Amino acid sequence: MLCCLLRKHKTENRVQKRRTGMDKKLLFIVNPRAGRTKSFAPLFDAVACFSKAGYLVKVFLTEGRGDATRAAAELGGAYDLVVCAGGDGTFNEMVSGLMQLDHPPVLGYIPFGSTNDCAATLRLPRDPVKAAQTASAHQPLPPEGFHRAEFPDETLLPQRPEKAVNLPKTEQQIEKGADSL
């Protein structure tokens, strides 16, 4: 009798651990046409990384232009994290879709296209597993070589001013006429 109770208790604990470990949901939007010469094996490793981080992963494969936007807009609100794997166009579509939501989830990006200019500019990891770890940690890494300036709009300034990245100005700055920071 005691043995059966112990087994039942252990089984319930395992089921409960599994349930609590998979409470987080991730929408993984993948453009299969991006990076035409690349193997899909690293994307499987990225999904495994998300799963190890406690996410239940739904993979959405795009079939054409606008699919990532529609998927992010229609499905994104039901997820804790939305990540795309593809090139700059896929990333742009995902962001455009998430911008349509009142409360967009956290987003992540796995650069998997042929040029990945956005990822290079943001200095995101090119390795899909490292990019997946960064995305699943919910802790965006500041790009190397940049420091956060002490401005209300949190302008990011690189060490070389000719490559400054200005974020949108606040209403107060617009009223004050602060055109250049």
Side-chain angles (χ1 to χ4, degrees):
M1 178 79 170
L2 179 62
C3 184
C4 291
L5 288 175
L6 288 176
R7 274 193 214 149
K8 182 179 178 187
H9 179 68
K10 285 182 182 179
T11 304
E12 287 174 359
N13 280 346
R14 266 188 301 206
V15 170
Q16 185 63 28
K17 283 181 186 176
R18 247 187 269 147
R19 280 190 194 137
T20 58
M22 290 295 193
D23 284 342
K24 302 182 287 184
K25 296 185 342 183
L26 184 146
L27 176 61
F28 190 33
I29 301 171
V30 178
N31 180 352
R33 290 173 187 80
R36 294 177 186 137
T37 61
K38 294 182 180 181
S39 164
F40 285 115
L43 295 182
F44 288 108
D45 295 337
V47 170
C49 178
F50 294 139
S51 185
K52 285 179 188 173
Y55 285 96
L56 181 61
V57 181
K58 174 179 175 76
V59 177
F60 180 91
L61 295 177
T62 63
E63 295 178 359
R65 189 172 293 231
D67 282 356
T69 301
R70 281 188 294 281
E74 293 172 11
L75 304 173
Y79 291 86
D80 302 299
L81 178 61
V82 177
V83 178
C84 77
D88 295 334
T90 308
F91 179 69
N92 182 38
E93 284 192 19
M94 177 189 67
V95 170
S96 295
L98 292 177
M99 295 285 292
Q100 297 175 27
L101 300 174
D102 291 332
H103 302 286
V106 175
L107 67 90
Y109 178 43
I110 297 181
F112 208 68
S114 51
T115 57
N116 302 310
D117 287 334
C118 289
T121 300
L122 297 171
R123 300 204 178 143
L124 295 174
R126 285 186 141 333
D127 175 42
V129 173
K130 288 180 182 174
Q133 290 168 342
T134 300
S136 62
H138 282 230
Q139 296 175 347
L141 302 175
E144 294 174 17
F146 285 68
H147 64 277
R148 193 171 293 283
E150 296 181 348
F151 293 112
D153 67 344
E154 295 185 295
T155 301
L156 293 178
L157 296 174
Q159 294 180 358
R160 295 184 307 198
E162 68 273 9
K163 291 193 174 181
V165 178
N166 292 315
L167 298 177
K169 293 178 175 45
T170 63
E171 288 181 26
Q172 293 168 340
Q173 289 172 322
I174 292 170
E175 288 172 8
K176 290 180 184 177
D179 290 329
S180 61
L181 297 174

